[in-house]
Each structure stands twice: as structure tokens, then as C-alpha cells.
Amino acid sequence: MAWYLVPAGSKKNTEAARNRKNTLENKYFIAPLMTELEDEIQRILRFAEQDEYVYIWGAKTGPSNERTWSKLTQGDKVIFYAEESFAYLGVILATTRNREIAEKIWPSDTTNFEFIYFMTDVQRIDISAEAFNAEFGYPKGPQGFQPIALQRIEVVSNKFGSIEQSIEYMANKRLEISEINLITAKEEAGFQDEVDNHIINKVIEDNLPREIPPKTNTGNKNGQNKRDPERAKSAIILNDYKCEFNLEHVTFINRKGMPYMEAHHLVPMSAQKNYSYSLDVTVNIVSLCPNCHRAIHLGNSAVKERIIKEIFTKDRKRNLKKCGINTTIDELILKYT
Ligand SMILES: [Zn+2]
Ligand SMILES: [Zn+2]
């Protein structure tokens, strides 16, 4: 079994994005085209996907692509990458060279992807390009459609046990991390629980720069600056236990008899090293319903941007400045990507 890397188009390429959506993120209904395929391929596809929905991708015409594509064999694994992430992993079922079918599958594309391959078990892995390139030893990232060299596979297998395990490790590492990139999910859940159950002495409303608090020893080795539950709770109270993205969002009643809300640091705590004053001030803490809180961390870039733009009002920008935190909307959005 061999491993291949496939470029799956940049973010800006809307054509590639549509193709990804139609035949990689979702399965394509191949039944109407079935009779145009070789008998052997029909048999393989029907056997693997009884409903005749299948994942498909294609390589552009060209000698290098043709050479790589011609080696693809059933059971080989392909990893799809874009500029910033290695997004999907699929398993090859069969290949066919067929210009007419390619034009039917990706009709609006001006490029011809006649070196077609059918896949099964396509899954999202979303590994950052930085992490993948470092483990697999591509200083500048891979270029084009290519096999992963055996030496690279050996290095990664020696470290992780297998390529599959390295992928699982890199994908999970990403999932475990919250508060953009520093706090583990466990630590984050503990903090929200503490804030929710916290009985406040006095509502704090910061309007002056505050000294940077010390680092906690928990979390990862980079250390996380301490977050004050009193301030987080204050931010929620100041916002009247409402979701700042949409005041209408309804949650549930918590153990203290109030609507449950979560505290989110708009300029992420992980960016503390870039600021001279504490990011743990009430004006930087946003009260969000759990759904919006998940969305601002785990949504796609459009979702995140929509929430950030709603929260980062002129007032907030001014009040952050009073606390020594200068930022712009573009800078902020960049921190969430
Ligand atoms: Zn958060
Ligand atoms: Zn909400």
C-alpha cells in the first residue's frame, strides 16, 4: 500500500471549493454514469458502495500527473492538502481515464480532470500544514500530486508506529486544543464550570490597563496565563446573562437559577505574549451561549468572522484601548484562523 499527496485547491479558488464539496466532502451519485465505466470498475464500485454514491477526484492532464495517477492501486491512501491544512484522507477503490465522464462530473470547470480516481472512506482530518510538514519533513510543503517517499514514511512510522497513528495523533492534538490554541478542552470545561458556579463578591468592570497575571502550571508546557473567574463572571453579569452575538439566544437555567452562559476571551489568552497588559479584563471577556462559544472556536472561517464582527463593536474597541489592548478587526480575525 502506498501513500499519495493531492493538492485540493486554494481557498480563493471557488471552482476547486465547489468540486471539493460535490465529490470529496460529499459522495457523488455515480449510477447515471455507471454504464459508461468499464465492467471491472462497475463491479468494484457496486461492491464497495451499494447505494452507488462514491467519492471521486481527478488529476489534470500532464505527464507528471499521469505517471503518479497510473500507479494508484486499490487500497492506496491519498491525503488532500490545501495551503493551510491537510484536510481529507481517502482510500482508493479504482481509477479510470475518461474525459467525457470528467466533464459530466465537474461540468463548470474549465480544467479537465480526466485522470479519475474513485475512493471510499473519505474522512476529514484537518491537520495544520505546519504540523504535517514538520513531521513528514517538507520544509516548504509538498508540491503537486505525488507519492510520499518511503524514507519519509519510515521516519514517521518509527516515531508514531504507523502513518495512520501519526495522522490520528496530529488530528486529535488539534481537537484537544481550545481557546484558539493553548488551553486543553479539559481545562476549558473546568474553567467554564467554575465561572458558572462562582458566587461573586463584587462585579468588576475594568477600565484601566492591568498587570499580566502569572502563568498556571497546568495545561501544556507553554503555560497559560491565569484567568480570573471573578472577572469572567462579571462579564456575564454585565451582559445580563445574554449571548453577545445574539441577545435572543436561549440556553438553560444553571445550578444558581440563572441562564447558563460561557466566558470567552475575544483577544485570545494565547496572544498574551504580544501584549504589555493583561488580556484578562472584563472588556475582553465576551458572554456567549454555549453554541456560539463552540462556533467561535470550531466554526469555519466565515462563521468565526461573522461572530467576531458582531462582538467587536466600536465601543468594545475603545474600551479595550483603555485597558492597554490595541487591536483591529483584521488583526483579530487573523488570530482565529
Ligand atoms: Zn473561548
Ligand atoms: Zn449565542
Side-chain angles (χ1 to χ4, degrees):
M1 186 200 64
W3 288 81
Y4 293 85
L5 297 174
V6 183
S10 68
K11 246 187 188 171
K12 288 169 213 106
N13 185 340
T14 49
E15 201 66 62
R18 190 176 318 140
N19 290 343
R20 277 200 300 273
K21 194 155 190 247
N22 292 342
T23 66
L24 199 57
E25 262 167 48
N26 296 295
K27 288 179 167 182
Y28 179 86
F29 190 48
I30 196 72
L33 301 176
M34 208 51 131
T35 53
E36 296 174 43
L37 294 166
E38 299 93 313
D39 290 348
E40 176 63 6
I41 293 178
Q42 290 190 35
R43 194 189 59 76
I44 293 170
L45 295 185
R46 287 212 176 92
F47 183 76
E49 311 288 355
Q50 278 152 20
D51 56 4
E52 302 189 16
Y53 279 88
V54 66
Y55 297 106
I56 316 171
W57 201 248
K60 270 190 273 195
T61 332
S64 163
N65 275 353
E66 181 170 3
R67 212 166 32 240
T68 310
W69 168 85
S70 67
K71 287 187 219 137
L72 291 176
T73 310
Q74 188 169 18
D76 283 348
K77 297 199 172 169
V78 279
I79 296 174
F80 293 85
Y81 68 93
E83 286 141 43
E84 52 299 280
S85 79
F86 286 68
Y88 305 93
L89 166 65
V91 184
I92 296 291
L93 279 175
T95 63
T96 188
R97 181 174 184 174
N98 192 321
R99 201 182 179 103
E100 289 74 43
I101 287 190
E103 280 167 4
K104 286 177 187 163
I105 297 173
W106 302 289
S108 55
D109 209 304
T110 47
T111 321
N112 201 287
F113 299 102
E114 64 188 75
F115 299 120
I116 297 173
Y117 41 105
F118 299 100
M119 289 163 290
T120 187
D121 287 335
V122 171
Q123 46 173 307
R124 272 209 89 112
I125 51 175
D126 283 336
I127 295 167
S128 79
E130 207 184 341
F132 189 97
N133 292 335
E135 293 298 352
F136 282 80
Y138 295 103
K140 288 182 194 141
Q143 296 289 318
F145 176 29
Q146 59 181 278
I148 302 181
L150 282 175
Q151 308 93 278
R152 296 185 200 276
I153 293 182
E154 226 175 79
V155 170
V156 175
S157 301
N158 284 341
K159 180 170 170 189
F160 292 95
S162 67
I163 301 294
E164 285 85 351
Q165 276 170 297
S166 79
I167 288 171
E168 201 172 311
Y169 173 81
M170 287 188 281
N172 283 338
K173 201 168 155 203
R174 180 190 56 76
L175 283 177
E176 266 176 23
I177 289 173
S178 172
E179 206 61 52
I180 314 309
N181 56 17
L182 213 62
I183 305 164
T184 64
K186 200 173 159 192
E187 196 182 344
E188 174 68 7
F191 178 69
Q192 298 301 340
D193 182 11
E194 189 182 355
V195 171
D196 186 52
N197 221 10
H198 189 72
I199 296 173
I200 209 156
N201 294 317
K202 183 175 161 279
V203 174
I204 303 168
E205 201 170 359
D206 293 304
N207 50 19
L208 286 171
R210 194 180 158 227
E211 212 177 293
I212 298 172
K215 287 187 172 188
T216 56
N217 297 322
T218 54
N220 72 25
K221 58 181 179 295
N222 294 328
Q224 158 77 32
N225 293 87
K226 252 184 200 146
R227 291 178 292 175
D228 177 9
E230 188 93 352
R231 285 190 152 75
K233 189 76 186 198
S234 292
I236 291 172
I237 293 172
L238 288 167
N239 284 292
D240 211 14
Y241 294 87
K242 291 203 162 105
C243 174
E244 288 190 62
F245 175 66
N246 184 334
L247 302 179
E248 307 288 310
H249 285 177
V250 175
T251 65
F252 55 87
I253 300 302
N254 70 8
R255 293 158 288 184
K256 299 277 183 256
M258 298 306 289
Y260 177 82
M261 286 291 154
E262 295 185 347
H264 173 72
H265 287 74
L266 184 57
V267 180
M269 291 297 286
S270 55
Q272 183 64 74
K273 57 186 179 300
N274 306 322
Y275 291 85
S276 323
Y277 296 102
S278 178
L279 294 176
D280 192 34
V281 284
T282 49
V283 289
N284 189 41
I285 305 171
V286 186
S287 169
L288 288 176
C289 78
N291 200 46
C292 290
H293 193 198
R294 285 273 129 168
I296 205 172
H297 283 280
L298 303 174
N300 69 19
S301 45
V303 168
K304 288 181 183 175
E305 220 176 291
R306 202 155 69 90
I307 302 176
I308 295 165
K309 281 184 173 158
E310 184 68 33
I311 295 168
F312 190 67
T313 56
K314 282 199 183 104
D315 270 1
R316 176 155 252 138
K317 190 177 173 182
R318 200 177 47 240
N319 290 332
L320 282 168
K321 208 172 168 182
K322 283 186 195 161
C323 292
I325 305 166
N326 281 315
T327 191
T328 62
I329 187 77
D330 292 336
E331 235 178 61
L332 203 50
I333 288 168
L334 212 65
K335 288 194 168 71
Y336 283 79
T337 49

